[in-house]
């Protein structure tokens, strides 16, 4: 299947994407993770992306579209893929349509993970991530087994730089102005399905699986 995950910052896109990716054995492609990898390795792309990400702004479309275009050409995408955090603007969505049509492919589903703005700060301020293997945790809702240590690879987990309250508020603004219009864009194409993510991770997973038709 070829799936897009939509939703506000902190909605739980990454958490559910990683569950779906394991369940369906399709690659989880997160543009946010690609940027963070480049920031960590101090590449030219990373240095440029950081100047936008730290302010809660979107990285310019030209940079982002080319990254996804290249990534989708990898062999592992032949069996399907899960795009998390892309597209985030109408321009990106139209570019993706073009890339897929050039490859003779189409999208199967756009999964909109819904959360109220009030819940976002609680989720993001408690989020911890593993800088080594990208596993995601939450201090209260999904803690590591050993305090501060990644369950998967035993590295020390960290707080993301853009998970400070003032940056979270900017990211929410950016989301409402630039990304939320994609709901209508995909609704018109008959591809949009929404899942309420205000329950627990497990409850959300059950709803997501229902939409995907898997158990
Ligand atoms: P990105 O990494 O994509 O960030 P985001 O969209 O802001 O989403 P998050 O990763 O913050 O949240 P999420 O929905 O994945 O939530 P998670 O599952 O972690 O992008 C970062 C930045 O890169 C952007 O701001 C932008 O600058 C740039 N960028 C990326 N893509 C771009 C693009 N296409 N164009 C331009 N710029 C781009 O969950 C959050 C927390 O809540 C976790 O701690 C989790 O454990 C917990 N949690 C999850 N679900 C639940 C639940 N149901 N109950 C309780 N806790 C839960």
């Amino acid at each position: 299947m070829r799936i897009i995950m939509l939703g506000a910052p902190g909605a739980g896109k990454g958490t559910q994407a990683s569950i779906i990716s394991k369940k369906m054995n399709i690659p989880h492609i997160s543009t946010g993770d690609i940027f963070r990898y480049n920031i960590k390795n101090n590449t030219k792309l990373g240095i440029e992306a950081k100047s936008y990400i730290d302010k809660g702004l979107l990285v310019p479309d030209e940079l982002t579209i080319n990254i996804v275009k290249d990534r989708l050409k990898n062999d592992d995408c032949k069996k399907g893929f899960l795009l998390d955090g892309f597209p985030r603007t109408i321009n990106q969505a139209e570019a993706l349509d073009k890339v897929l049509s050039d490859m003779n492919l189409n999208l199967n589903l756009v999964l909109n993970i819904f959360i109220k703005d009030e819940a976002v700060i609680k989720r993001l301020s408690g989020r911890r991530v593993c800088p080594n293997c990208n596993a995601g945790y939450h201090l209260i809702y999904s803690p590591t087994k050993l305090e501060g240590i990644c369950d998967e690879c035993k590295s020390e987990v960290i707080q993301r730089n853009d998970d400070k309250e003032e940056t979270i508020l900017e990211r929410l603004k950016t989301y409402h102005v630039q990304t939320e219009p994609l709901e209508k864009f995909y609704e018109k194409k008959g591809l949009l399905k929404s899942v309420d993510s205000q329950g627990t991770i497990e409850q959300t997973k059950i709803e997501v699986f229902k939409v995907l038709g898997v158990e």
Side-chain angles (χ1 to χ4, degrees):
M1 270 181 114
R2 289 175 288 277
I3 307 169
I4 287 176
M5 310 281 293
L6 278 187
K13 301 181 295 296
T15 303
Q16 297 300 327
S18 128
I19 296 172
I20 300 169
S21 159
K22 281 183 197 135
K23 179 79 186 173
M24 303 187 83
N25 192 27
I26 51 176
H28 170 193
I29 302 170
S30 154
T31 38
D33 284 348
I34 295 173
F35 289 135
R36 281 184 288 280
Y37 174 84
N38 278 277
I39 291 171
K40 191 172 146 197
N41 290 292
N42 220 16
T43 66
K44 191 164 167 264
L45 170 66
I47 293 165
E48 180 155 11
K50 188 174 173 9
S51 66
Y52 296 95
I53 293 175
D54 284 354
K55 294 190 195 107
L57 302 173
L58 295 184
V59 177
D61 284 345
E62 317 81 81
L63 285 179
T64 314
I65 290 166
N66 282 330
I67 290 170
V68 174
K69 206 171 161 179
D70 286 346
R71 179 65 184 84
L72 292 180
K73 287 182 192 148
N74 282 14
D75 273 356
D76 64 343
C77 293
K78 284 193 177 134
K79 56 190 171 190
F81 55 78
L82 186 59
L83 280 173
D84 164 13
F86 183 94
R88 257 178 153 100
T89 62
I90 298 283
N91 191 25
Q92 290 181 12
E94 287 170 347
L96 178 63
D97 277 352
K98 167 92 175 60
V99 171
L100 292 178
S101 111
D102 289 349
M103 295 167 86
N104 275 322
L105 297 175
N106 60 337
L107 284 171
N108 301 105
L109 176 70
V110 177
L111 198 53
N112 184 36
I113 306 288
F114 169 78
I115 189 179
K116 286 195 183 129
D117 283 5
E118 301 88 87
V120 165
I121 294 194
K122 238 188 196 170
R123 287 219 182 149
L124 291 184
S125 52
R127 170 165 57 190
R128 295 295 180 268
V129 289
C130 175
N132 181 45
C133 73
N134 274 335
Y137 302 93
H138 191 282
L139 290 179
I140 299 162
Y141 308 128
S142 174
T144 51
K145 289 185 186 125
L146 264 179
E147 198 182 324
I149 303 297
C150 176
D151 295 351
E152 308 286 333
C153 72
K154 312 294 172 215
S155 301
E156 207 168 315
V157 298
I158 55 160
Q159 183 167 34
R160 258 168 59 173
N161 216 22
D162 58 346
D163 279 348
K164 294 185 206 106
E165 192 164 335
E166 65 275 20
T167 318
I168 296 172
L169 294 175
E170 279 311 312
R171 287 162 63 197
L172 266 175
K173 264 194 229 160
T174 303
Y175 164 75
H176 286 302
V177 175
Q178 293 184 266
T179 308
E180 210 169 17
L182 288 176
E183 287 179 26
K184 285 263 164 338
F185 180 91
Y186 286 117
E187 199 171 26
K188 278 191 201 147
K189 291 177 182 279
L191 289 169
L192 190 79
K193 292 262 167 67
S194 289
V195 170
D196 190 334
S197 152
Q198 296 184 100
T200 62
I201 294 173
E202 184 60 24
Q203 285 163 341
T204 309
K205 180 195 101 174
I206 292 169
E207 291 310 309
V208 166
F209 279 14
K210 268 190 209 157
V211 169
L212 293 170
V214 293
E215 282 185 18

